[in-house]
Amino acid sequence: MDEKDKKDLYKEFGIDNPDEFFEGENDREAIRQEILGRIQATKEIHNQQRSKPGLKRNLSMAAAIGLILLSAALMLYYQNSGPQSNYITVVVPKGETREVVLPDGSTVWLNAASTLKYPKKFGKKRTVYLLDGEGFFDVIHDEHVPFVVDASGIKTNVLGTSFVVKSYKKLSTMSVSVVTGKVAVSDDRKQLSVLVKDQEVVYHKDHRKPNVVKVKAQEKTAWNSGKVILNAANFEDVILAVENAFQVKIDYDIEKFKNCSTTINFDTRKSLTDAMETLKDIQGITYQIKEKEVLIVGNGCN
């Protein structure tokens, strides 16, 4: 089949540009649903035609078979030649952490509810993508090949050092904390910050203005050993940490608690009740646990 015939076939099934159809980082599930939807629609047409003899039924059957074959071909095309084929994606569920060894031997510890994408083989740059979550990166030094973590449009550039990037989609901020060495942080337009050991930069996702603070960066990796240490953290950070550690959903009045700054330590190897009791003592909340849901009430910090 030549290219013209292929394009005509794509258009017959509503696909004007197959390259655009497969475009994007996270489209695999969307494509699967699109294909299933088109197959189902064609089956419904076929079912409506079943009682009609002759040409219409034959055409309906042919269309159904053609669509299924096309769908299979499209999925094969996506898997074998799409943008995902040269990448590995690691998804860590709630309640777990995971170590990932990258192609250059660098390691990443991913916190609960995190997603990392990285190439099967590095090129002139060692670029990885923290699509969601938090990771502790321990990067092997290579002065000729920079290492870049891309998260929420913010890029952390290093030659070899260790640092934490926190960029959960549910949070209004993202941060970079340096455990050893030095890192440069930038967006698509300019360099935003240069950090050294025990410095952290926090960006609000709305305005991207950097706020650099002094921290004990090693504490930022405590979740890797089952402990959560949060100092002067937004209440939303605390809630997400509890949700991810204990695999629960927490309901609370966001407006009431949005101005709360909380310092808390808890052990993820202990019970949810232990963590909630600690939060109760610190923040003055009351709570109710019902299976995998927690309801928090209180006066907040307005």
Side-chain angles (χ1 to χ4, degrees):
M1 182 182 293
D2 59 28
E3 288 300 315
K4 183 179 182 303
D5 290 335
K6 287 181 182 178
K7 289 180 179 179
D8 290 341
L9 184 58
Y10 288 134
K11 288 181 178 180
E12 184 177 344
F13 291 100
I15 304 172
D16 293 327
N17 187 339
D19 292 331
E20 290 180 359
F21 185 76
F22 294 116
E23 187 174 303
E25 299 291 356
N26 301 303
D27 287 344
R28 184 182 299 275
E29 179 62 18
I31 291 169
R32 190 178 76 85
Q33 294 298 332
E34 172 76 8
I35 289 172
L36 290 176
R38 294 187 184 192
I39 292 174
Q40 183 61 33
T42 304
K43 286 172 65 179
E44 289 175 0
I45 294 173
H46 171 61
N47 290 335
Q48 293 172 6
Q49 300 283 352
R50 287 180 65 183
S51 60
K52 300 179 181 181
L55 180 61
K56 286 186 177 180
R57 191 171 74 173
N58 291 337
L59 287 175
S60 178
M61 179 63 76
I65 294 172
L67 180 55
I68 291 171
L69 290 175
L70 175 62
S71 299
L74 289 175
M75 187 62 76
L76 185 63
Y77 170 90
Y78 178 70
Q79 291 174 338
N80 291 338
S81 60
Q84 297 289 344
S85 60
N86 294 320
Y87 286 85
I88 295 171
T89 300
V90 179
V91 179
V92 183
K94 290 183 178 182
E96 297 182 20
T97 62
R98 188 171 301 171
E99 182 183 24
V100 178
V101 180
L102 299 175
D104 65 339
S106 298
T107 58
V108 186
W109 274 102
L110 294 173
N111 202 351
S114 296
T115 302
L116 179 75
K117 190 183 81 168
Y118 63 93
K120 294 178 180 177
K121 183 178 180 180
F122 286 134
K124 293 182 179 179
K125 272 190 177 182
R126 298 175 286 171
T127 301
V128 301
Y129 303 88
L130 185 62
L131 303 179
D132 193 12
E134 183 174 18
F136 169 49
F137 296 81
D138 192 356
V139 178
I140 288 180
H141 184 83
D142 187 338
E143 62 183 14
H144 302 296
V145 186
F147 188 97
V148 181
V149 179
D150 191 327
S152 300
I154 298 293
K155 298 177 177 62
T156 303
N157 302 267
V158 304
L159 295 177
T161 185
S162 61
F163 56 97
V164 177
V165 179
K166 185 175 184 178
S167 183
Y168 282 102
K169 291 179 180 179
K170 287 186 175 182
L171 297 181
S172 59
T173 61
M174 68 89 62
S175 62
V176 179
S177 313
V178 180
V179 180
T180 61
K182 179 190 291 188
V183 308
V185 185
S186 63
D187 61 14
D188 291 332
R189 295 173 297 175
K190 61 181 180 179
Q191 181 171 289
L192 301 174
S193 303
V194 176
L195 307 173
V196 296
K197 180 181 177 180
D198 287 334
Q199 283 188 323
E200 176 181 81
V201 62
V202 180
Y203 299 93
H204 198 284
K205 292 178 182 177
D206 286 343
H207 52 66
R208 298 287 178 92
K209 292 180 180 178
N211 179 31
V212 179
V213 295
K214 189 76 173 176
V215 296
K216 295 179 180 178
Q218 195 66 45
E219 293 182 350
K220 302 289 181 176
T221 69
W223 47 262
N224 193 28
S225 58
K227 295 183 179 294
V228 173
I229 302 174
L230 297 172
N231 292 305
N234 293 332
F235 196 72
E236 64 173 5
D237 287 80
V238 177
I239 293 302
L240 186 61
V242 175
E243 287 184 326
N244 289 343
F246 297 101
Q247 306 174 59
V248 295
K249 173 70 172 67
I250 299 179
D251 295 312
Y252 69 102
D253 190 324
I254 297 175
E255 283 299 313
K256 276 188 177 181
F257 289 90
K258 69 178 182 180
N259 295 322
C260 294
S261 179
T262 305
T263 295
I264 186 172
N265 301 345
F266 63 87
D267 194 328
T268 63
R269 294 163 295 189
K270 294 184 178 180
S271 70
L272 170 62
T273 300
D274 287 331
M276 294 307 301
E277 282 294 312
T278 301
L279 184 57
K280 177 182 176 181
D281 293 340
I282 293 171
Q283 197 65 59
I285 55 101
T286 58
Y287 67 92
Q288 181 180 3
I289 300 174
K290 186 177 181 180
E291 297 180 350
K292 287 293 185 178
E293 292 192 9
V294 181
L295 175 63
I296 287 178
V297 295
N299 295 325
C301 303
N302 291 329

